[in-house]
Amino acid sequence: MSAPVSRSTFARNTLVAMTAIGAAGAVAVYMNEGPARFWANWLVWTLMLLTLGLGNLFLVALERLVGAHWSVPMRRVPERIAALIPLAIVLLLIGYLSLPVLFPWTRPEAAHNPILVAKAPWLNTTFFAIRLVACAVLWLLFYFFYVRGSLRQDASKDPAFTVKARRLAPPFMVTFFFTLTIVAFDWISSLEPEWYSDMFGVYLFAGTFLSGIAAMAIGVLALLRQGRLRDVGSQHYYNLGTLGLAFTVFYAYIGFAQYMLIWYADLPEEIVWFKHRLEGGWQSVALLLPIFHFAIPFFLLLGGSPKKRPWVLRIAALSILFGHFVDIYWLIIPTISPTPLLGWPELVMACLFVGLGFLQIRRAMNRGADMPIGDPLLVKGLEWQL
Amino acid sequence: MKPATAPVPDVATSMPEGLKPFVLLEGAVTPASLDDQVLKFPAQRPPRAWYVAIAFTLSLLAIGLVSIGYTLYYGIGMWGNNRPVAWGFGIINFVFWVGIGHAGTLISAILFLFRARWRNAIARFSEAMTIFAVMCAAIFPVLHTGRPWFGYWLFPYPNERALWVNFRSPLVWDVFAVSTYFSVSLMFWYLGLVPDFASLRDRTEEGWRKRIYTVLSLGWRGATSHWLHYDKAYLLLAGLATGLVISVHSVVSFDFAVSLVPGWHMTIFPPYFVAGAIFAGFAMVVMALVVVRKTMNLSNLITDDHLDVMNRLILAMSCIMGYAYFMEGGTAWYSANPYIQHTFKNYVTGFYGWAGITTITCNIIIPQLFWFRRVRRSIPAMIFIAVAVTLGMWMERFVIIIISLHQDYLPSSWHNYIPTKIDFGVLVGSFGLFFTLVLLFARVMPVIATSEMKASLPGAQAHHGGTTL
Amino acid sequence: MTSAPFAVLGLYSKAEKIIDAATKIRQRKLGHLEAYTPYPVHGLDHAIGLGPSKLGKLVMVMGLLGTGLALLFEGWTSAVDYPVITGGKPLFSWQAFVPVMFEVTVLFATFTAGLAMLFLFNKLPFFGHPVLHSKAIKDITRDKLALSIEQSGAALDIEAARNALLENGAETVEVVELPAWPRLTLVSLLRSMAAIVAACVVAGVGIYSIQKLLPVVLPMVHMHDQPKLNAFRSSTFFADGRGMQPAVAGTVARGHLPPAFSKPEEAGQILANPVALTKQVADRGHKVFNDHCAVCHGTVGDGVALLSRAYGAKPGNFMTAEMQKQPDGYIYGVLMLGKNAMPSYAADLDESDRWAVVHYIRILQRSQNAKDEDLK
């Protein structure tokens, strides 16, 4: 370890302190500001951590699916960030308690609303719980398979795992898409249950994949700065910049398409969702999205060659992650407040979850070698040239 | 835990069966042998099979021209369009052909950006197919206006009517999108051909042929200072064409999705249409390539592994289409909107229910056979599946357009749509046009981009340029 | 026509060798270094001393220019020059403008990329380059990589160049000479310009003629002469051959129900003025009266006017005591039925105008026969 011991302990202590303050503050939020604000922030951060974890697991499986070589030397980074998944699952299961607070279809008045009655076969607490548990189980199974399997391969050097990993990639993709769609519909879209948009699963996927790439890029660059990942060069993470550019454009395309189609037809049951998010001060928050989730990363990754200047990739990735957080915040908080909420409750809840998230990643960072040294494709990956 | 530093000493170096790289070239291929193998075709007479084939496609084209003649002379009344199904075969065929074109751009542009080497042997042919498909597509919106000789009214120019086009209408967005797509694809294709025309120029003896190649090659001499800018232009064009592929078929989907017709106003339409386009286009590319590599003896350049990879992409697209169909049906139920639910029931039951069943079978169920490696590498199987996909994707546009329109909000307006012989005639003619152009292209121009392929042959570069596959 | 040497070409088969040779020869400064290859060789551009291409920046600028122009054009046509509300959308609907903005951006960017690369950066098409007329060109576009030491300013030292190439692994060497350039004379320039102008004229006239001619030939002209009913034309559909048939007997146009009375006195008994008197109604009555009635009844309604003097007719005088006593309905009845020489004005005035006139006549009467209380 090239980093001095005192620095890492300092970091760890800061994170623990942050988490403790956050936890205490969270209780205060619940008591003073009410359960709605507490649970809404809980949901926002849980989904942030979940999408970051799932996005990185997706990157791991995607590499297997297409047989890419360039990403193999860096693959340990997303495998470690995927450790957010078990943490997020726990938080999500606790989040089940928020159902009566945040979700109108759980309340007794829903029985008088004919639209919610019609949706009741899907939107009822039992089926919701079954879906939640099923998703959690599937995610954990794939997480342990891919990540633990890769760590075990470090020692065993058995190429059979790589073959198995490739074979399981398509079922993972199918599972991933359906479970992520369920998250989008269950946890975000059903906050306003009369609204519907069949693109919504794709929308969440775009943000998830993009922030997965961003987190991976930051992880790779951070390790390189520390002197680890010595043989990984700019030709390896150049493709992260290209993928980042492509999916920045993809996210903007999906987001714009969904908005423009609903704006154009102006149907009452659809436009109301956007009304809540573009009025009363929310339009300023919405404006942050095209700036941080599109324009800044787009122009940075288009022009500045990340090969020569890794700081370009780093800033673009940070902008994307900030934009992703704003996105989830903008999707959820308008259901409890007609104006944007930004105060000490948001700050302490952020402390809690950021602390938890970073602590979890730190634990994972010490598992296994920094590169998947058991993978038979590693050599080809290291030799890879543009 | 010790971090790994260079060089990694104890890495597994054996490559198991499931991870062997693709075989993209069979036998010893050098730049010279490549030229001889591919560039000999424009210089020699084609085999008899080519004449038979083009006679057949020309007869299909003739049927089309007669049908178009009827349409121009007697008007759109010769088609089956009527109230409430005001858009019939005309728009189905337009969306179908524009979709076919997208696979070509995906192969030549998107796969170029991903540095997928397997695209080199098939890129030129696919780009040509894109241009021909867009040409076939363009016939339909022009004809369906009723007075196609005023087709130029679609473009915004200062005119004596003091009118501008309605920029708020997706039909105008279509005009811009398709014309941009056509001109960009044409330029991309032509620029790729310039070095090959130079090769042809230098292989041909003096004569009118050499003069044509000289002009078409623009005096290209392979100067490194030229390649520098050429490569940059090619990269930029690939990136821009990628954006075009996504946007063009999204704009086509906006024609439907911005409306209020039940079953059309679904937000997933843009990526759903793009995936469907790539899906149908790949099937057409596979069909054409299977024939080309056999008849032109190019199986050592377009290998079984090329076909295997393309079939995997067809499978992936089929799964994406499955997701889209599931989301559409699921959201139709979730919406609790009786009009949408009625339309979706009509997709699989009722007068046109057979069309929906055909669509699902051909698009989702049959391509699942491609999970099996044997099926992916069997020529008869892949032809069968490619034909099924082509049929299924045409049916899908039929389902979306006809079924949604024939029974929407007002029961007193419900009426079935029956296509006429002229409708079928124009459709058949469009296939005739497409395949005639493909045959002419194969006769006259290099079907493989020799200069691109030469750059990736083993030994062509100073150090091994690694890529995926 | 002296043929001066232009370049010395050295042919190679292997990429490593030519890059190596280029790197070494570049230091010796024997002339301008160029290479000719059938495919782009990675690293060769760097070896002969080329920097990166600036095409990307130009393309981005032109692309963004396209975005801006598209937005301005769409905005101007939709919101300023020809504003039409379609679908209830705002005139400047930026959401609807985005797709075309995107397409125009791509259009500008791609045409810049292609055309700037060819014309601006590579100066193609150009058919007179000496290498095109060399023996080696056949190999260059086939499979050989050629390193070229070309003249730059000072005359080329052929021997030194040839030795340098052979020392560094060239398989064969060729000296390429400058061909005799066709001289650019005034005549040739004028001929080219004339050809271009002629082509433009032909194209323009052709397009214009087609555009003007096409709509008036078969089958386009079918639209001009449609088998449908046109106003004032005969029709084979109806027995009497008339296109415009008279209305069926008993048809009543809206607002023109036949009056429920046959004499103005009856109207006086059954009708009351339903229109409330406001300034607007009074002004309207004023206008209508002056337009329709004053010509006979006079502008003050006393029966003295142009026509009465000219034709000796005696139009009613509203100011008589008898007329002032008549109820509103009576005036309305006369208006509707006509009286003596006055025709019915039922068709000329609609319901609200008729009653407005009645109000105005009452105003005129009051104005000429005012009482003291009216002044207070």
Side-chain angles (χ1 to χ4, degrees):
Chain A
M1 206 81 163
S2 48
V5 172
S6 57
R7 227 184 345 147
S8 97
T9 321
F10 174 70
R12 192 178 151 274
N13 289 346
T14 320
L15 287 171
V16 171
M18 217 169 133
T19 310
I21 294 175
V27 174
V29 170
Y30 190 93
M31 308 293 229
N32 285 357
E33 303 295 320
R37 195 154 178 181
F38 171 79
W39 283 119
N41 273 292
W42 183 280
L43 192 57
V44 168
W45 279 105
T46 303
L47 288 175
M48 179 77 183
L49 294 176
L50 180 67
T51 51
L52 275 177
L54 282 177
N56 276 275
L57 188 60
F58 179 79
L59 280 169
V60 171
L62 183 65
E63 176 199 293
R64 313 287 191 170
L65 184 73
V66 301
H69 294 160
W70 59 269
S71 54
V72 175
M74 302 183 286
R75 200 184 63 232
R76 197 37 62 75
V77 171
E79 284 172 356
R80 286 165 172 172
I81 302 179
L84 288 173
I85 293 178
L87 170 66
I89 288 178
V90 169
L91 297 169
L92 200 65
L93 288 169
I94 300 177
Y96 182 77
L97 296 170
S98 72
L99 247 50
V101 178
L102 295 177
F103 294 83
W105 49 269
T106 55
R107 304 195 195 120
E109 309 84 81
H112 302 297
N113 184 334
I115 297 180
L116 295 185
V117 168
K119 299 194 190 201
W122 180 264
L123 289 181
N124 61 75
T125 48
T126 323
F127 197 10
F128 188 97
I130 295 176
R131 291 196 296 273
L132 170 59
V133 169
C135 288
V137 165
L138 287 167
W139 290 331
L140 282 173
L141 281 175
F142 277 107
Y143 168 72
F144 283 121
F145 171 76
Y146 273 108
V147 176
R148 293 293 159 87
S150 175
L151 287 168
R152 242 179 272 129
Q153 197 189 31
D154 274 2
S156 71
K157 309 268 188 296
D158 183 10
F161 172 71
T162 308
V163 180
K164 242 195 308 176
R166 177 180 276 204
R167 277 223 193 92
L168 228 66
F172 172 82
M173 291 299 164
V174 175
T175 313
F176 174 81
F177 273 95
F178 279 105
T179 53
L180 196 66
T181 304
I182 289 176
V183 168
F185 271 76
D186 279 0
W187 288 97
I188 309 179
S189 151
S190 76
L191 288 168
E192 296 194 42
E194 295 184 8
W195 183 74
Y196 59 91
S197 161
D198 59 353
M199 171 90 103
F200 206 56
V202 183
Y203 180 78
L204 190 64
F205 164 70
T208 302
F209 187 29
L210 187 56
S211 48
I213 297 172
M216 178 176 171
I218 290 182
V220 168
L221 291 174
L223 282 184
L224 277 172
R225 248 231 208 114
Q226 288 177 23
R228 296 149 83 164
L229 287 186
R230 193 89 48 88
D231 286 314
V232 168
S234 59
Q235 75 272 22
H236 291 111
Y237 60 76
Y238 176 83
N239 272 353
L240 283 180
T242 315
L243 267 179
L245 175 65
F247 279 89
T248 300
V249 175
F250 181 71
Y251 167 82
Y253 154 70
I254 297 290
F256 173 74
Q258 181 174 249
Y259 169 59
M260 190 274 288
L261 289 174
I262 291 181
W263 167 87
Y264 202 102
D266 211 18
L267 291 174
E269 66 263 29
E270 292 181 343
I271 198 67
V272 128
W273 191 86
F274 275 104
K275 253 176 85 72
H276 290 161
R277 285 159 183 75
L278 294 173
E279 286 178 358
W282 280 110
Q283 57 272 50
S284 330
V285 178
L287 254 173
L288 294 175
L289 285 176
I291 295 175
F292 286 94
H293 217 331
F294 173 65
I296 293 180
F298 178 75
F299 285 106
L300 276 176
L301 293 171
L302 190 66
S305 168
K307 255 197 284 194
K308 303 194 186 91
R309 296 170 285 209
W311 64 261
V312 168
L313 184 59
R314 194 176 290 123
I315 297 198
L318 286 170
S319 177
I320 288 171
L321 286 176
F322 176 66
H324 186 58
F325 174 74
V326 171
D327 193 8
I328 301 184
Y329 179 85
W330 178 77
L331 288 174
I332 294 181
I333 305 289
T335 55
I336 63 159
S337 166
T339 56
L341 293 173
L342 193 60
W344 67 268
E346 281 66 43
L347 220 57
V348 295
M349 302 286 286
C351 282
L352 171 62
F353 286 89
V354 169
L356 281 174
F358 270 109
L359 279 172
Q360 178 76 342
I361 295 182
R362 277 186 107 254
R363 273 179 56 203
M365 276 303 173
N366 293 326
R367 284 195 211 124
D370 283 340
M371 276 198 273
I373 52 179
D375 195 318
L377 296 173
L378 178 61
V379 178
K380 287 194 90 170
L382 287 168
E383 289 171 354
W384 194 86
Q385 297 290 331
L386 269 171
Chain B
M1 183 62 219
K2 262 197 137 39
T5 53
V8 197
D10 48 358
V11 164
T13 47
S14 62
M15 207 62 76
E17 183 56 49
L19 297 177
K20 286 220 166 53
F22 282 141
V23 171
L24 296 176
L25 286 172
E26 276 165 19
V29 180
T30 64
S33 75
L34 191 63
D35 267 3
D36 291 334
Q37 190 181 5
V38 174
L39 298 182
K40 69 171 190 254
F41 288 102
Q44 66 189 30
R45 283 186 76 83
R48 178 133 56 134
W50 185 89
Y51 287 101
V52 170
I54 204 167
F56 176 64
T57 62
L58 280 174
S59 55
L60 293 181
L61 178 58
I63 296 176
L65 289 173
V66 168
S67 307
I68 292 178
Y70 267 91
T71 309
L72 286 176
Y73 196 81
Y74 291 112
I76 296 294
M78 297 303 290
W79 291 3
N81 300 10
N82 212 327
R83 280 190 289 271
V85 184
W87 275 356
F89 271 37
I91 298 298
I92 298 175
N93 296 338
F94 164 66
V95 178
F96 174 74
W97 282 113
V98 171
I100 300 276
H102 284 336
T105 319
L106 180 127
I107 292 176
S108 58
I110 299 180
L111 290 177
F112 178 82
L113 294 176
F114 285 143
R115 306 267 193 288
R117 236 182 337 157
W118 60 271
R119 109 203 223 274
N120 288 347
I122 58 177
R124 170 66 42 73
F125 192 81
S126 324
E127 279 164 39
M129 283 178 62
T130 295
I131 293 173
F132 304 146
V134 176
M135 283 164 68
C136 291
I139 297 172
F140 293 97
V142 171
L143 274 181
H144 99 313
T145 56
R147 289 190 293 177
W149 48 94
F150 289 132
Y152 58 90
W153 285 358
L154 292 167
F155 293 92
Y157 67 95
N159 54 65
E160 69 274 14
R161 303 180 300 281
L163 279 179
W164 293 109
V165 299
N166 176 16
F167 282 110
R168 279 165 248 133
S169 163
L171 303 180
V172 171
W173 308 341
D174 248 346
V175 168
F176 278 80
V178 174
S179 46
T180 304
Y181 187 49
F182 181 68
S183 30
V184 167
S185 299
L186 197 61
M187 169 150 42
F188 194 42
W189 181 65
Y190 176 65
L191 284 180
L193 276 168
V194 165
D196 289 352
F197 279 134
S199 299
L200 280 169
R201 169 196 69 202
D202 295 328
R203 284 172 65 92
T204 313
E205 302 298 324
E206 288 295 333
W208 60 272
R209 276 214 189 85
K210 188 176 172 97
R211 237 170 309 160
I212 293 181
Y213 291 139
T214 306
V215 170
L216 285 174
S217 63
L218 304 178
W220 180 261
R221 49 195 190 263
T224 301
S225 56
H226 290 187
W227 279 120
L228 178 72
H229 301 297
Y230 179 92
D231 278 347
K232 192 68 194 241
Y234 203 83
L235 177 68
L236 292 167
L237 282 173
L240 290 162
T242 303
L244 259 192
V245 165
I246 315 283
S247 68
V248 168
H249 225 62
S250 298
V251 168
V252 169
S253 81
F254 289 156
D255 286 344
F256 306 100
V258 301
S259 73
L260 300 174
V261 176
W264 282 12
H265 184 63
M266 309 295 269
T267 45
I268 205 175
F269 260 37
Y272 160 46
F273 265 54
V274 173
I278 295 171
F279 185 45
F282 260 93
M284 189 68 92
V285 169
V286 164
M287 270 196 290
L289 280 179
V290 157
V291 172
V292 160
R293 77 197 270 261
K294 186 77 200 295
T295 55
M296 295 171 90
N297 269 324
L298 296 170
S299 306
N300 63 328
L301 298 172
I302 304 175
T303 61
D304 287 344
D305 276 342
H306 278 102
L307 297 173
D308 190 318
V309 172
M310 283 195 280
N311 290 335
R312 282 188 219 198
L313 268 166
I314 291 180
L315 174 64
M317 289 298 137
S318 170
C319 294
I320 295 181
M321 296 302 282
Y323 171 82
Y325 287 178
F326 178 79
M327 287 312 299
E328 289 259 284
T331 308
W333 175 83
Y334 183 80
S335 71
N337 180 321
Y339 304 104
I340 302 181
Q341 290 174 349
H342 174 82
T343 300
F344 272 81
K345 270 206 216 55
N346 273 340
Y347 280 172
V348 288
T349 60
F351 188 74
Y352 294 111
W354 53 269
I357 306 284
T358 310
T359 303
I360 296 176
T361 311
C362 289
N363 289 346
I364 313 297
I365 300 179
I366 291 182
Q368 299 302 311
L369 288 169
F370 275 148
W371 285 108
F372 301 104
R373 188 169 183 275
R374 275 226 326 255
V375 177
R376 289 201 299 271
R377 303 177 84 90
S378 147
I379 303 286
M382 72 176 86
I383 292 184
F384 165 69
I385 298 179
V387 169
V389 168
T390 309
L391 172 69
M393 283 311 296
W394 190 92
M395 267 305 154
E396 184 200 272
R397 275 56 170 261
F398 180 92
V399 163
I400 292 176
I401 295 174
I402 306 299
I403 299 186
S404 282
L405 283 177
H406 90 291
Q407 290 192 352
D408 64 3
Y409 295 99
L410 208 54
S412 60
S413 301
W414 291 358
H415 195 77
N416 288 341
Y417 164 84
I418 309 290
T420 63
K421 286 198 273 289
I422 306 290
D423 278 321
F424 282 107
V426 185
L427 173 61
V428 159
S430 68
F431 275 90
L433 176 65
F434 180 75
F435 286 112
T436 303
L437 289 171
V438 166
L439 284 167
L440 287 174
F441 163 74
R443 164 79 183 89
V444 166
M445 294 196 200
V447 302
I448 293 185
T450 50
S451 50
E452 275 178 41
M453 278 221 65
K454 285 176 190 171
S456 60
L457 288 176
Q461 302 291 344
H463 48 257
H464 180 61
T467 58
T468 56
L469 299 174
Chain C
M1 321 288 150
T2 53
S3 8
F6 169 74
V8 182
L9 293 178
L11 292 180
Y12 295 79
S13 297
K14 286 254 166 261
E16 301 87 41
K17 289 231 172 64
I18 192 176
I19 292 180
D20 212 33
T23 318
K24 294 208 176 73
I25 292 179
R26 186 166 153 231
Q27 292 157 354
R28 291 170 56 172
K29 299 206 183 345
L30 291 163
H32 174 72
L33 211 55
E34 177 65 274
Y36 301 92
T37 56
Y39 57 87
V41 177
H42 300 327
L44 188 53
D45 49 338
H46 191 67
I48 65 173
L50 291 174
S53 169
K54 296 208 177 27
L55 185 62
K57 293 191 179 47
L58 181 63
V59 167
M60 173 138 89
V61 166
M62 289 299 286
L64 290 174
L65 182 70
T67 319
L69 282 178
L71 180 63
L72 280 175
F73 185 67
E74 289 183 280
W76 178 74
T77 56
S78 309
V80 175
D81 194 47
Y82 189 69
V84 175
I85 301 175
T86 53
K89 299 189 180 17
L91 290 177
F92 188 82
S93 329
W94 66 266
Q95 297 92 334
F97 294 161
V98 165
V100 172
M101 278 162 65
F102 181 82
E103 302 299 340
V104 173
T105 306
V106 171
L107 189 70
F108 272 53
T110 49
F111 272 80
T112 305
L115 300 179
M117 182 272 287
L118 282 177
F119 299 150
L120 209 63
F121 286 77
N122 289 347
K123 303 195 177 42
L124 292 173
F126 176 50
F127 303 106
H129 196 271
V131 169
L132 286 177
H133 304 283
S134 69
K135 285 195 278 290
I137 189 69
K138 279 200 178 48
D139 293 318
I140 288 173
T141 54
R142 187 172 160 84
D143 61 350
K144 292 275 185 273
L145 317 171
L147 188 59
S148 168
I149 304 175
E150 301 176 352
Q151 72 170 76
S152 67
L156 199 56
D157 184 351
I158 299 184
E159 278 313 305
R162 172 184 295 216
N163 290 337
L165 286 166
L166 287 169
E167 278 163 27
N168 283 292
E171 292 157 22
T172 51
V173 173
E174 179 188 340
V175 176
V176 178
E177 314 208 310
L178 273 176
W181 299 108
R183 293 256 314 276
L184 183 72
T185 61
L186 187 63
V187 173
S188 62
L189 186 64
L190 285 176
R191 261 212 292 241
S192 325
M193 283 177 59
I196 294 174
V197 167
C200 289
V201 166
V202 167
V205 168
I207 293 174
Y208 181 78
S209 320
I210 294 176
Q211 189 243 57
K212 275 285 182 250
L213 178 68
L214 212 48
V216 296
V217 300
L218 274 180
M220 293 66 174
V221 80
H222 277 169
M223 297 285 274
H224 290 188
D225 214 0
Q226 297 171 34
K228 70 177 184 188
L229 189 63
N230 289 318
F232 298 114
R233 296 248 195 103
S234 63
S235 164
T236 53
F237 183 72
F238 293 106
D240 60 4
R242 278 197 277 184
M244 296 172 73
Q245 295 285 312
V248 172
T251 308
V252 177
R254 284 183 198 228
H256 294 279
L257 272 176
F261 46 85
S262 51
K263 292 210 291 272
E265 292 76 16
E266 275 180 46
Q269 281 162 3
I270 60 176
L271 290 178
N273 193 336
V275 177
L277 179 59
T278 65
K279 180 154 196 316
Q280 269 158 316
V281 170
D283 286 338
R284 179 70 188 164
H286 181 156
K287 180 178 192 310
V288 175
F289 184 88
N290 283 349
D291 285 345
H292 295 268
C293 319
V295 69
C296 293
H297 289 282
T299 45
V300 292
D302 56 2
V304 177
L306 292 162
L307 281 183
S308 59
R309 283 193 295 250
Y311 295 107
K314 279 193 76 173
N317 179 0
F318 295 127
M319 303 308 152
T320 60
E322 196 203 315
M323 275 304 289
Q324 289 191 54
K325 270 208 271 286
Q326 292 287 8
D328 287 350
Y330 178 84
I331 303 178
Y332 182 88
V334 171
L335 195 157
M336 291 292 286
L337 300 173
K339 186 175 177 165
N340 303 333
M342 171 175 159
S344 157
Y345 277 77
D348 295 58
L349 306 181
D350 66 21
E351 194 60 13
S352 60
D353 280 350
R354 295 167 196 153
W355 288 112
V357 167
V358 170
H359 270 306
Y360 186 69
I361 291 172
R362 289 296 185 216
I363 292 173
L364 280 178
Q365 290 172 334
R366 189 170 170 194
S367 72
Q368 300 300 310
N369 302 285
K371 303 190 189 59
D372 280 337
E373 301 88 71
D374 291 332
L375 295 172
K376 292 203 185 82

